[in-house]
Amino acid sequence: MTGDVHPAWLPPEALRAVGSRRVLIQGGGLLVDTVRAELSRACGRFGGTVGGDGPFDLVLKLSNGRRPPDPDVFVLSRDAGVTVVRADEPAGLLYGFFHVVRLGEAAFDGAFPPRPHRPAIRRRMVQHWDNVDVHPVMGQVERGYAGGSVFWHDGALRADLSRVTAYARLLASCGVNALCVNNVNVHATEARLLTGRLGDVAAIADLLRPYGIRVHLSVSFAAPAVDLGTADPLDPRVAAWWADTTRRVYATIPDFGGYVVKADSEGQPGPFADGRSHADGANALAAALAPHGGVVHWRAFVYNHRQDWRDRGTDRARAAHDHFVPLDGAFGDNVILQVKHGPIDFQTREPVSPLIAAMPATRVAVEVQATQEYTGQQRHVCYLGPMWSEVLGFAPWGSEGPPVAGLAAGLVAVSNVGDDPFWTGHPLAQANLYAFGRLAWDPRLDPVAVLDEWIDLTFGPGATADPRLLRATLHAVMDDSWRTYERYTAPLGVGFMVRPGHHYGPDVDGYEYTPWGTYHFADRDGVGVDRTRATGTGFAGQYPPAWSRVYESVHDCPDELLLFFHHVPYGHVLHDGGTVIQHIYDTHFEGVEAVGAMRDRWSALPAGLVDPALAARVAERLDEQLRSAVEWRDQINAYFFRKSGVRDAHGRRIH
Ligand code: GCU
């Protein structure tokens, strides 16, 4: 710990390799000054030098040669003992600098030819579900598991924003270049950020700017109604209101990124109120932003949250595709349709949303949830890199076609950060934020290799007495933790067996007879949702043929999604030869055993190998994870045993 905040993956030690070199920086401007300040600090600590006559070990230069410049790109090379980072634009230099930090000593070893590094995804954004006021139900941060907001406290901007600078640095170091400062559910106080409280947003923007991060704001679609009594997007007065308001925003924050909008979704206002389409709605805001270079992130999370559970024809999974595909081509160029990675809602296992591939004439951003609402709420270890890597690598048209990463103009993570001393509540959840940035930059990275980067930076040589033991332990605890979590919570693609409201812990029927549209349909004979075209809701037909065929077939459907697409008898045989019911029992017993093993591995670490406060926090959370996993196992196994009457083939105890 430095002070009372953990340095996460940028402890001073992580900059030892660059800090002990003779460095030359060529170029000027705000971001280059950031790099210069970083290097001066590191060199002051580790004996290197910045500037002077040379010779140099590391040269960072802004070449400004190519037109048009490629904003985030840098070229890294090493020849004749000199490592060179060259970039067209300051942001490229910043990313190049952090890449050299990540490489450590390897950046100064041997020779390597020039290699351009270019992000696969242009917009790499974190969105905070932070409220300015403490919300009576959701608190300061909606679905936040890491304490209060780093920006807001009790109705006001925090007086001490020093953590925001530290946060911006962490984000830039893994490639994030945009941030939204408030919750997509825009309540009364937060609505005023756009108007009377713009100064608060500008103060945050000032701290993010040196790290190349543009600020965005969640706005209420109904904002103009306060002044005009209407928010009808086709009313010229409404258009003028957005134009005026947006002009003021840019006068205060010239590099403002744009708006994020949750409309006609879970009670938020939207264009449906005036009989307008979502394209009409999004375009009204987009037109106001266009002259200033801003964008609207328009969320596709639109579904009926007041459905009748008796109605088997309505399927929440279908909703986004049903609403938005007819509008493809109707959105302005600066509208980015923001689509959750799965068709429902950040469950532990969902198929990739078919909407991502169904909007060829629309820019699409994919939204993931770093905050672990449905994946253990930062009390359970759940490294999400492997999940996101699967999503980004999914090829909707089959292996001949592009993967999701090739279709996405943006990748968005709902942030998992708060004012907790470890940033993320669970210290190991820091790796999720890091992996998000890295995978957005290069989706082909192996998530386990990304974990190695994170381990090296966070606990690298010098920071621990036995790096090999620590690395082995962290891999044992984290590599497979998402699949372990799936084993004890979400068999074969069934989701939402969580406690309603807060979503922590098991409640198999908690949502079964509710209006939210998330059901498993377990009865005495079987379980799962029939989403086939032949006999079900037809959701499987929303995919291009390559996957539609696979998901439609009960035989070809991958086991991990079987119950998402099919209602099958408990005796249905899976690809591995076991039955559905036995799979449920086995995975729940195995999941608990795996958590027990994770806890044992961690507690076997010799004292002092990592910061004692961090070790204790992880240990305490692993105890809770084990307690909770046992509860999940026992409730789910008992539930399905009582429904099916089928005994466990191994005679284990089911209550
Ligand atoms: C989930 C989550 C809400 C959130 C919503 C959204 O349903 O529980 O808190 O507002 O997603 O993404 O808008």
Side-chain angles (χ1 to χ4, degrees), residues 4-5 149-153 157-165 207:
D4 32 356
V5 181
S149 165
V150 291
F151 307 114
W152 316 104
H153 183 67
L157 185 67
R158 280 180 177 276
D160 177 4
L161 288 172
S162 54
R163 278 190 76 150
V164 175
T165 298
L207 299 174

Side-chain angles (χ1 to χ4, degrees), residues 4 41 48 103 185 190 197 303 351 367 472 485 583 619 642:
D4 32 356
R41 223 175 12 245
L103 291 175
N185 295 311
E190 293 74 14
R197 295 185 61 166
Y303 70 101
E367 182 181 338
Y485 187 80
H583 175 94
R642 290 174 192 181

Side-chain angles (χ1 to χ4, degrees), residues 129 138 142-143 145 183-185 262 265-266 268 299 301 303 316 340 344-346 367 369 373-374 414 496 501-503 511 516:
W129 286 358
M138 293 296 175
E142 180 160 332
R143 313 305 186 186
Y145 311 105
N183 191 359
V184 288
N185 295 311
K262 172 175 179 177
S265 169
E266 299 183 332
Q268 290 295 304
R299 294 178 88 229
F301 184 57
Y303 70 101
R316 176 168 165 183
K340 286 192 182 185
I344 296 197
D345 195 1
F346 300 134
E367 182 181 338
Q369 204 183 36
E373 177 177 359
Y374 294 102
V414 182
F496 266 105
H502 59 64
H503 300 160
Y511 276 104
W516 296 92

Side-chain angles (χ1 to χ4, degrees), residues 102 382-393 428 430-440 442-456 471 474-483:
R102 195 158 35 238
C382 189
Y383 174 52
L384 294 165
M387 182 210 270
W388 299 336
S389 164
E390 277 187 18
V391 169
L392 292 164
L428 305 185
Q430 291 174 2
N432 284 332
L433 187 61
Y434 181 81
F436 163 74
R438 294 291 292 134
L439 291 172
D442 185 355
R444 287 161 314 175
L445 290 173
D446 170 4
V448 174
V450 172
L451 205 49
D452 269 324
E453 287 179 6
W454 175 77
I455 294 169
D456 282 344
R471 176 191 299 280
L474 287 165
H475 279 300
V477 170
M478 297 174 76
D479 285 3
D480 214 26
S481 53
W482 166 50
R483 291 190 182 85

Side-chain angles (χ1 to χ4, degrees), residues 321 325 328 337 339 352-362 364 366 394-398 402-404 407-408 542-544 547:
H321 190 281
V325 170
D328 188 31
L337 188 67
V339 184
V352 170
S353 169
L355 183 58
I356 296 167
M359 304 292 288
T362 306
V364 168
V366 177
F394 178 76
W397 292 275
V404 164
L407 301 171
Q542 292 184 339
Y543 289 86
W547 282 103

Side-chain angles (χ1 to χ4, degrees), residues 256-489:
F256 181 71
Y259 300 138
V260 176
V261 188
K262 172 175 179 177
D264 291 315
S265 169
E266 299 183 332
Q268 290 295 304
F272 287 164
D274 293 293
R276 308 301 186 196
S277 76
H278 275 249
D280 296 331
N283 291 343
L285 278 68
L289 287 156
H292 312 281
V295 294
V296 190
H297 280 245
W298 190 267
R299 294 178 88 229
F301 184 57
V302 179
Y303 70 101
N304 177 6
H305 69 292
R306 296 206 181 94
Q307 81 185 56
D308 185 343
W309 60 268
R310 299 165 194 83
D311 163 19
R312 297 290 290 252
T314 305
D315 178 8
R316 176 168 165 183
R318 290 188 57 118
H321 190 281
D322 284 346
H323 279 296
F324 286 95
V325 170
L327 301 176
D328 188 31
F331 290 100
D333 288 348
N334 60 333
V335 175
I336 298 177
L337 188 67
Q338 185 170 308
V339 184
K340 286 192 182 185
H341 70 82
I344 296 197
D345 195 1
F346 300 134
Q347 297 304 290
T348 308
R349 176 74 72 171
E350 291 187 41
V352 170
S353 169
L355 183 58
I356 296 167
M359 304 292 288
T362 306
R363 292 163 82 198
V364 168
V366 177
E367 182 181 338
V368 300
Q369 204 183 36
T371 194
Q372 290 170 236
E373 177 177 359
Y374 294 102
T375 50
Q377 303 200 349
Q378 283 141 255
R379 287 188 249 181
H380 298 220
V381 181
C382 189
Y383 174 52
L384 294 165
M387 182 210 270
W388 299 336
S389 164
E390 277 187 18
V391 169
L392 292 164
F394 178 76
W397 292 275
S399 52
E400 304 298 301
V404 164
L407 301 171
L411 192 67
V412 171
V414 182
S415 169
N416 59 354
V417 157
D419 71 351
D420 169 69
F422 294 101
W423 296 96
T424 49
H426 202 307
L428 305 185
Q430 291 174 2
N432 284 332
L433 187 61
Y434 181 81
F436 163 74
R438 294 291 292 134
L439 291 172
W441 182 284
D442 185 355
R444 287 161 314 175
L445 290 173
D446 170 4
V448 174
V450 172
L451 205 49
D452 269 324
E453 287 179 6
W454 175 77
I455 294 169
D456 282 344
L457 289 165
T458 310
F459 305 102
T464 180
D466 192 343
R468 286 181 54 190
L469 173 62
L470 185 58
R471 176 191 299 280
T473 303
L474 287 165
H475 279 300
V477 170
M478 297 174 76
D479 285 3
D480 214 26
S481 53
W482 166 50
R483 291 190 182 85
T484 296
Y485 187 80
E486 178 181 27
R487 281 182 194 107
Y488 60 80
T489 62

